[in-house]
Amino acid sequence: MSHTYLTTQELSELIKYNPRTIRNELKDTVLIEGIHYIRPFGGRKILYIWEEIEKICVLVSPVASTPWHYNKEKYDG
């Protein structure tokens, strides 16, 4: 299986999150080492695996899993 590896900056451009948010809030809570990112050669550099991150973006998005319905009574009184 082929993977697309992204730096933190590249990932931030795709998912529209600040690189600092990815490093400080998503890494090791939502994005797990060995599943969503790797450290090549055991170093400090982190490469994110786009295919795995794309899967969780769709899974946890309420918009992706729940169709939007117009509630006439709620909005039209």
Side-chain angles (χ1 to χ4, degrees):
M1 179 179 194
S2 172
H3 294 295
T4 305
Y5 297 103
L6 304 170
T7 63
T8 304
Q9 181 63 43
E10 292 168 332
L11 179 62
S12 77
E13 292 168 9
L14 284 173
I15 66 171
K16 310 297 186 222
Y17 274 81
N18 187 297
R20 184 179 289 171
T21 302
I22 293 171
R23 283 190 300 269
N24 296 340
E25 296 180 29
L26 299 180
K27 188 174 77 61
D28 297 326
T29 56
V30 176
L31 304 176
I32 308 301
E33 186 171 3
I35 298 172
H36 305 108
Y37 72 90
I38 61 168
R39 296 175 188 266
F41 311 110
R44 293 187 62 207
K45 184 171 189 73
I46 292 174
L47 293 176
Y48 293 92
I49 304 168
W50 173 243
E51 291 77 10
E52 295 301 321
I53 294 171
E54 193 174 32
K55 286 179 194 175
I56 63 168
C57 286
V58 172
L59 287 176
V60 299
S61 171
V63 174
S65 60
T66 307
W68 182 82
H69 295 286
Y70 177 72
N71 185 335
K72 184 174 173 36
E73 292 174 2
K74 182 175 181 180
Y75 295 104
D76 292 344

